[in-house]
Amino acid sequence: MRFRCSVDIAADLNAEDRLTRENIRVIRPGFGLAPKHDETLLGRRVNRDPAMGTAMA
């Protein structure tokens, strides 16, 4: 579990921005959401102002 991949924010976002392939990325090691969930994230809006490098929870 310690060295698994996770989905992270790849660019600074504002509240109400939509998640796209350009602003999320899969990194390793990571402690956020598993990459198998990235398709469900695409198109969703964020409800905060996440900074680049924030793990998806």
Short mmCIF file of all heavy atoms in Angstrom, two decimals:
data_model
loop_
_atom_site.label_atom_id
_atom_site.label_comp_id
_atom_site.label_asym_id
_atom_site.label_seq_id
_atom_site.Cartn_x
_atom_site.Cartn_y
_atom_site.Cartn_z
N MET A 1 0.82 -1.20 0.00
CA MET A 1 0.00 0.00 0.00
C MET A 1 0.87 1.26 0.00
O MET A 1 0.45 2.28 -0.48
CB MET A 1 -0.90 0.04 1.22
CG MET A 1 -2.06 -0.91 1.20
SD MET A 1 -3.31 -0.46 0.01
CE MET A 1 -4.16 0.83 0.83
N ARG A 2 2.06 1.18 0.55
CA ARG A 2 2.86 2.37 0.71
C ARG A 2 3.36 2.93 -0.62
O ARG A 2 3.53 4.13 -0.77
CB ARG A 2 4.04 2.07 1.61
CG ARG A 2 4.71 3.30 2.12
CD ARG A 2 5.69 2.98 3.17
NE ARG A 2 6.95 2.64 2.51
CZ ARG A 2 8.02 2.22 3.13
NH1 ARG A 2 7.99 2.04 4.41
NH2 ARG A 2 9.12 1.96 2.47
N PHE A 3 3.58 2.08 -1.62
CA PHE A 3 4.13 2.54 -2.87
C PHE A 3 3.14 2.43 -4.03
O PHE A 3 3.53 2.32 -5.17
CB PHE A 3 5.39 1.75 -3.21
CG PHE A 3 6.48 1.99 -2.21
CD1 PHE A 3 6.84 1.01 -1.32
CD2 PHE A 3 7.11 3.22 -2.14
CE1 PHE A 3 7.84 1.24 -0.39
CE2 PHE A 3 8.10 3.46 -1.21
CZ PHE A 3 8.47 2.46 -0.33
N ARG A 4 1.86 2.50 -3.74
CA ARG A 4 0.87 2.41 -4.81
C ARG A 4 0.69 3.76 -5.49
O ARG A 4 1.14 4.78 -4.99
CB ARG A 4 -0.45 1.92 -4.26
CG ARG A 4 -1.15 2.91 -3.36
CD ARG A 4 -2.42 2.32 -2.78
NE ARG A 4 -3.11 3.32 -1.99
CZ ARG A 4 -4.22 3.93 -2.39
NH1 ARG A 4 -4.75 3.62 -3.53
NH2 ARG A 4 -4.78 4.83 -1.63
N CYS A 5 0.03 3.74 -6.63
CA CYS A 5 -0.24 4.97 -7.39
C CYS A 5 -1.48 5.66 -6.85
O CYS A 5 -2.33 5.04 -6.21
CB CYS A 5 -0.46 4.64 -8.86
SG CYS A 5 0.98 3.96 -9.67
N SER A 6 -1.60 6.95 -7.11
CA SER A 6 -2.81 7.67 -6.74
C SER A 6 -3.05 8.81 -7.73
O SER A 6 -2.16 9.22 -8.47
CB SER A 6 -2.70 8.24 -5.32
OG SER A 6 -1.82 9.32 -5.26
N VAL A 7 -4.27 9.31 -7.74
CA VAL A 7 -4.67 10.41 -8.61
C VAL A 7 -4.46 11.72 -7.85
O VAL A 7 -4.92 11.88 -6.72
CB VAL A 7 -6.15 10.27 -9.02
CG1 VAL A 7 -6.58 11.43 -9.90
CG2 VAL A 7 -6.39 8.95 -9.73
N ASP A 8 -3.74 12.65 -8.49
CA ASP A 8 -3.45 13.96 -7.89
C ASP A 8 -3.86 15.08 -8.84
O ASP A 8 -4.01 14.86 -10.04
CB ASP A 8 -1.95 14.12 -7.62
CG ASP A 8 -1.51 13.43 -6.36
OD1 ASP A 8 -2.20 12.49 -5.92
OD2 ASP A 8 -0.47 13.83 -5.81
N ILE A 9 -3.98 16.28 -8.29
CA ILE A 9 -4.28 17.47 -9.08
C ILE A 9 -2.98 17.92 -9.75
O ILE A 9 -1.96 18.06 -9.11
CB ILE A 9 -4.83 18.60 -8.18
CG1 ILE A 9 -6.09 18.17 -7.46
CG2 ILE A 9 -5.06 19.87 -8.98
CD1 ILE A 9 -7.27 17.96 -8.35
N ALA A 10 -3.03 18.16 -11.06
CA ALA A 10 -1.83 18.53 -11.83
C ALA A 10 -1.72 20.03 -12.08
O ALA A 10 -0.72 20.49 -12.61
CB ALA A 10 -1.83 17.80 -13.17
N ALA A 11 -2.73 20.81 -11.72
CA ALA A 11 -2.71 22.26 -11.91
C ALA A 11 -3.56 22.89 -10.82
O ALA A 11 -4.47 22.26 -10.29
CB ALA A 11 -3.25 22.63 -13.28
N ASP A 12 -3.25 24.14 -10.47
CA ASP A 12 -4.08 24.85 -9.50
C ASP A 12 -5.48 25.02 -10.08
O ASP A 12 -5.64 25.43 -11.24
CB ASP A 12 -3.49 26.22 -9.18
CG ASP A 12 -2.18 26.11 -8.40
OD1 ASP A 12 -2.01 25.10 -7.68
OD2 ASP A 12 -1.36 27.02 -8.52
N LEU A 13 -6.50 24.72 -9.27
CA LEU A 13 -7.89 24.82 -9.72
C LEU A 13 -8.66 25.77 -8.83
O LEU A 13 -8.28 26.00 -7.68
CB LEU A 13 -8.57 23.44 -9.67
CG LEU A 13 -8.01 22.36 -10.58
CD1 LEU A 13 -8.73 21.05 -10.32
CD2 LEU A 13 -8.14 22.76 -12.03
N ASN A 14 -9.75 26.29 -9.35
CA ASN A 14 -10.67 27.12 -8.58
C ASN A 14 -11.93 26.30 -8.32
O ASN A 14 -12.20 25.32 -9.02
CB ASN A 14 -11.04 28.38 -9.36
CG ASN A 14 -9.84 29.26 -9.59
OD1 ASN A 14 -9.02 29.45 -8.70
ND2 ASN A 14 -9.72 29.78 -10.79
N ALA A 15 -12.69 26.71 -7.32
CA ALA A 15 -13.95 26.04 -7.04
C ALA A 15 -14.83 26.10 -8.29
O ALA A 15 -14.82 27.08 -9.03
CB ALA A 15 -14.65 26.71 -5.87
N GLU A 16 -15.55 25.04 -8.54
CA GLU A 16 -16.46 24.89 -9.67
C GLU A 16 -15.76 24.57 -10.99
O GLU A 16 -16.42 24.47 -12.02
CB GLU A 16 -17.38 26.12 -9.84
CG GLU A 16 -18.28 26.36 -8.64
CD GLU A 16 -19.22 25.20 -8.34
OE1 GLU A 16 -19.79 24.63 -9.27
OE2 GLU A 16 -19.35 24.87 -7.15
N ASP A 17 -14.42 24.40 -11.02
CA ASP A 17 -13.74 23.95 -12.22
C ASP A 17 -14.03 22.46 -12.42
O ASP A 17 -14.22 21.72 -11.46
CB ASP A 17 -12.23 24.15 -12.12
CG ASP A 17 -11.81 25.58 -12.31
OD1 ASP A 17 -12.64 26.39 -12.75
OD2 ASP A 17 -10.63 25.89 -12.02
N ARG A 18 -14.02 22.02 -13.67
CA ARG A 18 -14.24 20.61 -13.98
C ARG A 18 -12.91 19.87 -14.06
O ARG A 18 -11.91 20.44 -14.49
CB ARG A 18 -15.00 20.45 -15.28
CG ARG A 18 -16.43 20.92 -15.19
CD ARG A 18 -17.23 20.42 -16.37
NE ARG A 18 -18.60 20.87 -16.28
CZ ARG A 18 -19.56 20.18 -15.66
NH1 ARG A 18 -19.30 19.03 -15.10
NH2 ARG A 18 -20.79 20.65 -15.62
N LEU A 19 -12.91 18.62 -13.65
CA LEU A 19 -11.72 17.79 -13.74
C LEU A 19 -11.60 17.23 -15.15
O LEU A 19 -12.57 16.70 -15.70
CB LEU A 19 -11.78 16.64 -12.74
CG LEU A 19 -11.77 17.06 -11.28
CD1 LEU A 19 -12.00 15.86 -10.38
CD2 LEU A 19 -10.45 17.73 -10.92
N THR A 20 -10.42 17.38 -15.75
CA THR A 20 -10.15 16.89 -17.09
C THR A 20 -8.84 16.10 -17.08
O THR A 20 -8.13 16.08 -16.07
CB THR A 20 -10.01 18.05 -18.09
OG1 THR A 20 -8.87 18.84 -17.72
CG2 THR A 20 -11.25 18.92 -18.13
N ARG A 21 -8.50 15.49 -18.20
CA ARG A 21 -7.23 14.76 -18.31
C ARG A 21 -6.04 15.70 -18.14
O ARG A 21 -4.97 15.27 -17.73
CB ARG A 21 -7.13 14.08 -19.67
CG ARG A 21 -8.04 12.92 -19.82
CD ARG A 21 -7.31 11.67 -19.44
NE ARG A 21 -8.21 10.55 -19.57
CZ ARG A 21 -8.26 9.57 -18.71
NH1 ARG A 21 -7.45 9.56 -17.67
NH2 ARG A 21 -9.10 8.58 -18.87
N GLU A 22 -6.22 16.98 -18.45
CA GLU A 22 -5.12 17.93 -18.36
C GLU A 22 -4.84 18.38 -16.93
O GLU A 22 -3.74 18.82 -16.63
CB GLU A 22 -5.39 19.17 -19.22
CG GLU A 22 -5.31 18.91 -20.71
CD GLU A 22 -6.54 18.18 -21.25
OE1 GLU A 22 -7.66 18.43 -20.75
OE2 GLU A 22 -6.36 17.35 -22.15
N ASN A 23 -5.83 18.32 -16.03
CA ASN A 23 -5.59 18.82 -14.69
C ASN A 23 -5.58 17.74 -13.61
O ASN A 23 -5.54 18.06 -12.43
CB ASN A 23 -6.56 19.96 -14.33
CG ASN A 23 -8.00 19.59 -14.43
OD1 ASN A 23 -8.36 18.43 -14.37
ND2 ASN A 23 -8.85 20.59 -14.59
N ILE A 24 -5.60 16.45 -13.99
CA ILE A 24 -5.34 15.38 -13.03
C ILE A 24 -4.24 14.49 -13.60
O ILE A 24 -4.04 14.43 -14.80
CB ILE A 24 -6.59 14.54 -12.68
CG1 ILE A 24 -7.14 13.81 -13.89
CG2 ILE A 24 -7.64 15.38 -12.01
CD1 ILE A 24 -8.25 12.83 -13.54
N ARG A 25 -3.53 13.82 -12.70
CA ARG A 25 -2.45 12.92 -13.13
C ARG A 25 -2.33 11.78 -12.12
O ARG A 25 -2.78 11.88 -10.98
CB ARG A 25 -1.14 13.67 -13.24
CG ARG A 25 -0.64 14.16 -11.92
CD ARG A 25 0.66 14.88 -12.03
NE ARG A 25 0.95 15.50 -10.72
CZ ARG A 25 1.93 16.29 -10.50
NH1 ARG A 25 2.73 16.63 -11.49
NH2 ARG A 25 2.14 16.80 -9.31
N VAL A 26 -1.71 10.71 -12.56
CA VAL A 26 -1.45 9.56 -11.70
C VAL A 26 0.02 9.61 -11.32
O VAL A 26 0.89 9.70 -12.18
CB VAL A 26 -1.78 8.25 -12.43
CG1 VAL A 26 -1.41 7.05 -11.57
CG2 VAL A 26 -3.25 8.21 -12.81
N ILE A 27 0.28 9.58 -10.02
CA ILE A 27 1.67 9.64 -9.55
C ILE A 27 1.95 8.43 -8.67
O ILE A 27 1.05 7.74 -8.21
CB ILE A 27 1.96 10.93 -8.76
CG1 ILE A 27 1.14 10.98 -7.48
CG2 ILE A 27 1.71 12.16 -9.59
CD1 ILE A 27 1.71 11.92 -6.46
N ARG A 28 3.24 8.21 -8.45
CA ARG A 28 3.67 7.14 -7.58
C ARG A 28 4.87 7.61 -6.80
O ARG A 28 5.76 8.21 -7.40
CB ARG A 28 4.04 5.93 -8.41
CG ARG A 28 4.45 4.76 -7.57
CD ARG A 28 4.72 3.59 -8.42
NE ARG A 28 5.23 2.54 -7.56
CZ ARG A 28 5.39 1.31 -7.95
NH1 ARG A 28 5.11 0.97 -9.17
NH2 ARG A 28 5.84 0.43 -7.12
N PRO A 29 5.04 7.40 -5.54
CA PRO A 29 4.04 6.84 -4.64
C PRO A 29 2.98 7.87 -4.32
O PRO A 29 3.23 9.08 -4.40
CB PRO A 29 4.84 6.49 -3.40
CG PRO A 29 5.94 7.48 -3.37
CD PRO A 29 6.26 7.75 -4.83
N GLY A 30 1.83 7.42 -3.95
CA GLY A 30 0.74 8.32 -3.64
C GLY A 30 -0.15 7.75 -2.56
O GLY A 30 -0.18 6.55 -2.34
N PHE A 31 -0.87 8.62 -1.90
CA PHE A 31 -1.71 8.20 -0.78
C PHE A 31 -3.15 8.62 -0.97
O PHE A 31 -3.91 8.69 -0.03
CB PHE A 31 -1.15 8.77 0.52
CG PHE A 31 0.28 8.36 0.75
CD1 PHE A 31 1.31 9.24 0.51
CD2 PHE A 31 0.57 7.08 1.17
CE1 PHE A 31 2.63 8.86 0.70
CE2 PHE A 31 1.89 6.69 1.36
CZ PHE A 31 2.91 7.58 1.13
N GLY A 32 -3.53 8.92 -2.21
CA GLY A 32 -4.89 9.35 -2.51
C GLY A 32 -5.71 8.26 -3.16
O GLY A 32 -5.47 7.07 -2.96
N LEU A 33 -6.66 8.66 -3.97
CA LEU A 33 -7.58 7.77 -4.65
C LEU A 33 -6.85 6.92 -5.68
O LEU A 33 -5.97 7.42 -6.39
CB LEU A 33 -8.66 8.61 -5.32
CG LEU A 33 -9.90 7.91 -5.84
CD1 LEU A 33 -10.67 7.28 -4.69
CD2 LEU A 33 -10.76 8.88 -6.58
N ALA A 34 -7.20 5.65 -5.80
CA ALA A 34 -6.55 4.74 -6.74
C ALA A 34 -6.86 5.13 -8.19
O ALA A 34 -7.94 5.66 -8.48
CB ALA A 34 -7.02 3.32 -6.48
N PRO A 35 -5.94 4.90 -9.11
CA PRO A 35 -6.12 5.27 -10.52
C PRO A 35 -7.31 4.61 -11.20
O PRO A 35 -7.79 5.12 -12.20
CB PRO A 35 -4.82 4.84 -11.18
CG PRO A 35 -3.84 4.74 -10.11
CD PRO A 35 -4.59 4.38 -8.87
N LYS A 36 -7.80 3.51 -10.69
CA LYS A 36 -8.95 2.86 -11.32
C LYS A 36 -10.21 3.72 -11.24
O LYS A 36 -11.16 3.48 -11.95
CB LYS A 36 -9.21 1.49 -10.71
CG LYS A 36 -9.69 1.52 -9.28
CD LYS A 36 -9.92 0.12 -8.76
CE LYS A 36 -10.43 0.14 -7.33
NZ LYS A 36 -10.64 -1.22 -6.84
N HIS A 37 -10.19 4.77 -10.43
CA HIS A 37 -11.34 5.65 -10.27
C HIS A 37 -11.23 6.92 -11.11
O HIS A 37 -12.11 7.78 -11.04
CB HIS A 37 -11.52 6.05 -8.81
CG HIS A 37 -11.73 4.88 -7.91
ND1 HIS A 37 -12.89 4.14 -7.91
CD2 HIS A 37 -10.93 4.32 -6.99
CE1 HIS A 37 -12.80 3.18 -7.02
NE2 HIS A 37 -11.61 3.25 -6.45
N ASP A 38 -10.18 7.07 -11.92
CA ASP A 38 -10.00 8.34 -12.64
C ASP A 38 -11.10 8.60 -13.67
O ASP A 38 -11.47 9.74 -13.89
CB ASP A 38 -8.62 8.43 -13.28
CG ASP A 38 -8.38 7.43 -14.39
OD1 ASP A 38 -9.18 6.49 -14.52
OD2 ASP A 38 -7.39 7.59 -15.11
N GLU A 39 -11.67 7.57 -14.27
CA GLU A 39 -12.77 7.78 -15.23
C GLU A 39 -14.01 8.36 -14.55
O GLU A 39 -14.75 9.14 -15.15
CB GLU A 39 -13.12 6.47 -15.93
CG GLU A 39 -12.06 5.99 -16.90
CD GLU A 39 -11.88 6.93 -18.08
OE1 GLU A 39 -12.87 7.51 -18.56
OE2 GLU A 39 -10.73 7.07 -18.52
N THR A 40 -14.24 8.00 -13.30
CA THR A 40 -15.40 8.54 -12.59
C THR A 40 -15.19 9.99 -12.17
O THR A 40 -16.15 10.72 -11.94
CB THR A 40 -15.75 7.71 -11.35
OG1 THR A 40 -14.64 7.70 -10.46
CG2 THR A 40 -16.10 6.28 -11.74
N LEU A 41 -13.93 10.42 -12.07
CA LEU A 41 -13.64 11.81 -11.70
C LEU A 41 -13.78 12.78 -12.86
O LEU A 41 -14.10 13.95 -12.65
CB LEU A 41 -12.21 11.90 -11.15
CG LEU A 41 -11.92 11.20 -9.84
CD1 LEU A 41 -10.44 11.28 -9.53
CD2 LEU A 41 -12.73 11.81 -8.73
N LEU A 42 -13.51 12.31 -14.06
CA LEU A 42 -13.53 13.20 -15.23
C LEU A 42 -14.90 13.84 -15.42
O LEU A 42 -15.92 13.16 -15.37
CB LEU A 42 -13.12 12.44 -16.49
CG LEU A 42 -11.69 11.94 -16.51
CD1 LEU A 42 -11.45 11.12 -17.76
CD2 LEU A 42 -10.71 13.08 -16.42
N GLY A 43 -14.91 15.15 -15.58
CA GLY A 43 -16.15 15.88 -15.78
C GLY A 43 -16.78 16.39 -14.49
O GLY A 43 -17.68 17.22 -14.53
N ARG A 44 -16.34 15.91 -13.36
CA ARG A 44 -16.89 16.38 -12.09
C ARG A 44 -16.32 17.74 -11.73
O ARG A 44 -15.24 18.11 -12.13
CB ARG A 44 -16.58 15.40 -10.97
CG ARG A 44 -17.36 14.14 -11.10
CD ARG A 44 -17.16 13.31 -9.88
NE ARG A 44 -18.14 12.24 -9.89
CZ ARG A 44 -18.66 11.73 -8.80
NH1 ARG A 44 -18.29 12.16 -7.62
NH2 ARG A 44 -19.54 10.77 -8.89
N ARG A 45 -17.06 18.48 -10.93
CA ARG A 45 -16.62 19.80 -10.47
C ARG A 45 -15.99 19.67 -9.09
O ARG A 45 -16.41 18.84 -8.29
CB ARG A 45 -17.80 20.75 -10.37
CG ARG A 45 -18.39 21.10 -11.71
CD ARG A 45 -19.50 22.13 -11.51
NE ARG A 45 -20.22 22.35 -12.73
CZ ARG A 45 -19.95 23.34 -13.57
NH1 ARG A 45 -18.98 24.17 -13.30
NH2 ARG A 45 -20.65 23.50 -14.66
N VAL A 46 -14.99 20.50 -8.82
CA VAL A 46 -14.38 20.54 -7.49
C VAL A 46 -15.14 21.56 -6.65
O VAL A 46 -15.65 22.54 -7.17
CB VAL A 46 -12.88 20.86 -7.56
CG1 VAL A 46 -12.12 19.74 -8.22
CG2 VAL A 46 -12.61 22.16 -8.26
N ASN A 47 -15.21 21.31 -5.35
CA ASN A 47 -15.98 22.22 -4.49
C ASN A 47 -15.07 23.12 -3.64
O ASN A 47 -15.56 23.87 -2.82
CB ASN A 47 -16.93 21.44 -3.59
CG ASN A 47 -16.24 20.43 -2.72
OD1 ASN A 47 -15.03 20.29 -2.78
ND2 ASN A 47 -17.00 19.72 -1.92
N ARG A 48 -13.75 23.02 -3.85
CA ARG A 48 -12.79 23.87 -3.15
C ARG A 48 -11.79 24.42 -4.15
O ARG A 48 -11.95 24.22 -5.34
CB ARG A 48 -12.01 23.06 -2.12
CG ARG A 48 -12.87 22.45 -1.11
CD ARG A 48 -12.04 21.70 -0.11
NE ARG A 48 -12.96 20.82 0.58
CZ ARG A 48 -12.68 19.64 1.02
NH1 ARG A 48 -11.48 19.17 0.87
NH2 ARG A 48 -13.59 18.91 1.61
N ASP A 49 -10.75 25.05 -3.68
CA ASP A 49 -9.66 25.54 -4.52
C ASP A 49 -8.44 24.67 -4.28
O ASP A 49 -7.53 25.07 -3.55
CB ASP A 49 -9.33 27.00 -4.19
CG ASP A 49 -10.47 27.94 -4.50
OD1 ASP A 49 -11.30 27.61 -5.35
OD2 ASP A 49 -10.53 29.02 -3.88
N PRO A 50 -8.37 23.48 -4.88
CA PRO A 50 -7.21 22.61 -4.61
C PRO A 50 -5.96 23.11 -5.32
O PRO A 50 -6.01 23.60 -6.43
CB PRO A 50 -7.66 21.26 -5.16
CG PRO A 50 -8.63 21.59 -6.23
CD PRO A 50 -9.33 22.84 -5.76
N ALA A 51 -4.85 22.99 -4.63
CA ALA A 51 -3.56 23.39 -5.19
C ALA A 51 -2.94 22.22 -5.96
O ALA A 51 -3.32 21.07 -5.75
CB ALA A 51 -2.62 23.82 -4.07
N MET A 52 -2.01 22.53 -6.82
CA MET A 52 -1.31 21.50 -7.57
C MET A 52 -0.62 20.54 -6.59
O MET A 52 -0.04 20.97 -5.60
CB MET A 52 -0.27 22.13 -8.47
CG MET A 52 0.45 21.15 -9.36
SD MET A 52 1.51 21.95 -10.56
CE MET A 52 2.92 22.28 -9.56
N GLY A 53 -0.74 19.24 -6.84
CA GLY A 53 -0.12 18.23 -5.97
C GLY A 53 -1.04 17.68 -4.89
O GLY A 53 -0.64 16.80 -4.14
N THR A 54 -2.26 18.19 -4.81
CA THR A 54 -3.20 17.69 -3.82
C THR A 54 -3.71 16.32 -4.24
O THR A 54 -4.13 16.13 -5.38
CB THR A 54 -4.40 18.65 -3.69
OG1 THR A 54 -3.92 19.95 -3.36
CG2 THR A 54 -5.37 18.18 -2.63
N ALA A 55 -3.69 15.36 -3.33
CA ALA A 55 -4.19 14.02 -3.61
C ALA A 55 -5.72 14.02 -3.59
O ALA A 55 -6.33 14.68 -2.74
CB ALA A 55 -3.65 13.03 -2.59
N MET A 56 -6.30 13.29 -4.51
CA MET A 56 -7.76 13.13 -4.51
C MET A 56 -8.14 12.16 -3.40
O MET A 56 -7.55 11.10 -3.28
CB MET A 56 -8.25 12.60 -5.86
CG MET A 56 -7.95 13.50 -7.01
SD MET A 56 -8.73 15.11 -6.91
CE MET A 56 -10.43 14.68 -7.04
N ALA A 57 -9.10 12.52 -2.60
CA ALA A 57 -9.50 11.67 -1.49
C ALA A 57 -10.88 11.09 -1.71
O ALA A 57 -11.63 11.48 -2.50
CB ALA A 57 -9.51 12.45 -0.20
#
